[in-house]
Amino acid sequence: MVDTGTGAETGTAVDAGRRADWRAWQDSWDRQQEWYMPDREERFRVMLDMVEALVGREARVLDLACGTGSITDRLFQRFPGATSTGVDLDPALLAIAGGYFAGDSRLTLVRADLKAPDWTAKLPYDSYDAVLTATALHWLHTGPLAVLYGQLAGLVRPGGVFMNADHMTDPATPRINEAERAHRHREMDRAKAEGALDWADWWDLAAKDPVLAGPTAERFAIYGEHADGDTPSAEWHATTLIGAGFGEARAVWSSPSDSLMLALK
């Protein structure tokens, strides 16, 4: 089921002559994201390991800032009995998710702004076993992110989990941070020279697609080129999550630049 706030199901209102290849767009998004994060699948694997360990294989999941539904896609492949609510504001990425998952009753898509105080009222459920998100919340500054963490503490059931895989920079190690960043960008430059698409290239292609052109233009009217958020440390995330009402919080996976933070209600 798709509720994008427009009253129409994404991907079903497009005539056959203009229908996008949703699987190709989903795969293309994954490749573009992997250009930035070659270890992206590893963080997803650990995330789902922890879902299975803490809430089981038939979890009710909230895919927060879901984009094209990358987390939900892997969730359903590994746990066919799970259900998911995907929430995002981006009309282009939601269009891809709606087309890719068309007909799959396990997924409900909701268009909502996570900075709106009442965004949780749009969700189909009052509580979730797990709330999962990846490489999205760095679009928020720490003030709104702390507010969001408080809202999520109210959505996660007792014994449930919240996991956030994102950029988490440790300001106490500037030389390590700079060396890691320089090495990562050298590898990205090499991959781009071999034909990898970056963020701007991918969106340029989306803007030229007859189905995605409209949603892409709307998306840039909302966000601009990129939101200006923060990348606080893993320690900040853990402390803020505990303060928001979670019982335990720590990183369960990390790379030189990113961490997967798990908070247990």
Side-chain angles (χ1 to χ4, degrees), residues 34 78 91 95 108 115-116 123 178 185 197 224 245 256:
E34 288 163 1
R78 181 162 167 180
T108 300
K115 292 187 287 187
L123 300 176
E178 179 54 34
H185 280 268
L197 294 178

Side-chain angles (χ1 to χ4, degrees), residues 37 43 135 138 165-169 230-232 237 257-259:
M37 297 164 289
R43 66 191 72 192
T135 329
H138 66 273
D166 210 341
H167 313 314
M168 299 185 188
T169 304
D230 295 325
T231 56
H237 286 274
S257 61
D258 293 13
S259 292

Side-chain angles (χ1 to χ4, degrees), residues 98-254:
Y100 182 74
F101 291 98
D104 193 332
S105 61
R106 296 172 297 176
L107 172 65
T108 300
L109 289 175
V110 176
R111 186 174 177 187
D113 185 350
L114 298 182
K115 292 187 287 187
D118 60 347
W119 71 270
T120 60
K122 296 185 176 183
L123 300 176
Y125 302 106
D126 294 331
S127 68
Y128 288 86
D129 300 312
V131 177
L132 310 178
T133 189
T135 329
L137 299 189
H138 66 273
W139 285 58
L140 299 177
H141 289 291
T142 52
L145 182 55
V147 171
L148 178 63
Y149 279 175
Q151 293 171 316
L152 296 178
L155 283 174
V156 175
R157 66 160 174 84
V161 297
F162 165 66
M163 281 182 270
N164 176 20
D166 210 341
H167 313 314
M168 299 185 188
T169 304
D170 188 341
T173 58
R175 290 182 296 165
I176 295 173
N177 299 346
E178 179 54 34
E180 182 280 327
R181 182 183 182 280
H183 178 267
R184 174 162 40 88
H185 280 268
R186 283 195 298 271
E187 292 300 302
M188 291 166 65
D189 289 345
R190 179 189 57 75
K192 187 168 175 54
E194 295 173 356
L197 294 178
D198 65 11
W199 175 266
D201 294 334
W202 192 91
W203 283 109
D204 283 345
L205 289 178
K208 296 171 184 174
D209 184 277
V211 177
L212 290 176
T216 297
E218 183 184 356
R219 177 247 182 249
F220 278 95
I222 295 169
Y223 293 111
E225 289 298 321
H226 202 286
D228 181 23
D230 295 325
T231 56
S233 68
E235 181 181 7
W236 180 93
H237 286 274
T239 300
T240 304
L241 287 162
I242 294 294
F246 288 91
E248 300 177 13
R250 71 169 177 88
V252 293
W253 173 91
S254 65

